Amino acid sequence: MILGFNLLYDTVGTTPYYTTSFPRRGNAALFSIQTTHVRGGLNLHAFVQHKNREDASWSSAGGFAVITAAGVATLDLSSLKEEIRFSFTFSGSGALGAFFRVFIPPPAWRPYT
């Protein structure tokens, strides 16, 4: 499964956009984000968040390097909690209509040890 979507500056702005959460499949994983189209001179900040089912709030497991152009960004994380989601925000001065086209391939899970 590959999740693909457009992040539009006029609808996201500085308010975080969250993906649907999904269950952890291992204690550690390599996460990837591919951006194929970038328009508008913005910076995209992407984070992997996690929580256990009984937790009241999400916490950041780690953040990708700031994304400014089309390409692939990766992030290797361990000690993950039970549920995972991605969080995205913009920074910079972009015009309304600026966007990133984002694809998120499945994480490369490492087994429990």
Side-chain angles (χ1 to χ4, degrees), residues 27-32 48 61-64 73-78 80 108 110:
N27 190 44
L30 178 66
F31 294 91
S32 300
V48 174
F64 290 85
T74 60
L75 179 63
D76 194 1
L77 296 173
S78 59
L80 295 167
R110 290 196 298 278

Side-chain angles (χ1 to χ4, degrees), residues 3-107:
L3 175 65
F5 50 89
N6 290 322
L7 290 173
L8 301 172
Y9 179 66
D10 55 340
T11 58
V12 176
T14 58
T15 303
Y17 170 80
Y18 303 108
T19 63
T20 303
S21 64
F22 55 94
R24 170 187 68 187
R25 301 283 187 228
N27 190 44
L30 178 66
F31 294 91
S32 300
I33 295 174
Q34 179 181 12
T35 52
T36 59
H37 296 79
V38 177
R39 179 174 174 241
L42 290 171
N43 301 317
L44 181 63
H45 303 270
F47 298 90
V48 174
Q49 296 184 330
H50 63 160
K51 75 178 192 97
N52 288 324
R53 287 178 189 89
E54 66 275 0
D55 292 345
S57 62
W58 293 86
S59 62
S60 178
F64 290 85
V66 176
I67 300 168
T68 59
V72 177
T74 60
L75 179 63
D76 194 1
L77 296 173
S78 59
S79 300
L80 295 167
K81 294 182 179 182
E82 297 170 344
E83 294 182 46
I84 309 293
R85 73 177 181 184
F86 288 84
S87 169
F88 298 94
T89 57
F90 289 116
S91 70
S93 57
L96 292 181
F99 73 94
F100 283 81
R101 177 70 176 156
V102 176
F103 290 93
I104 303 175

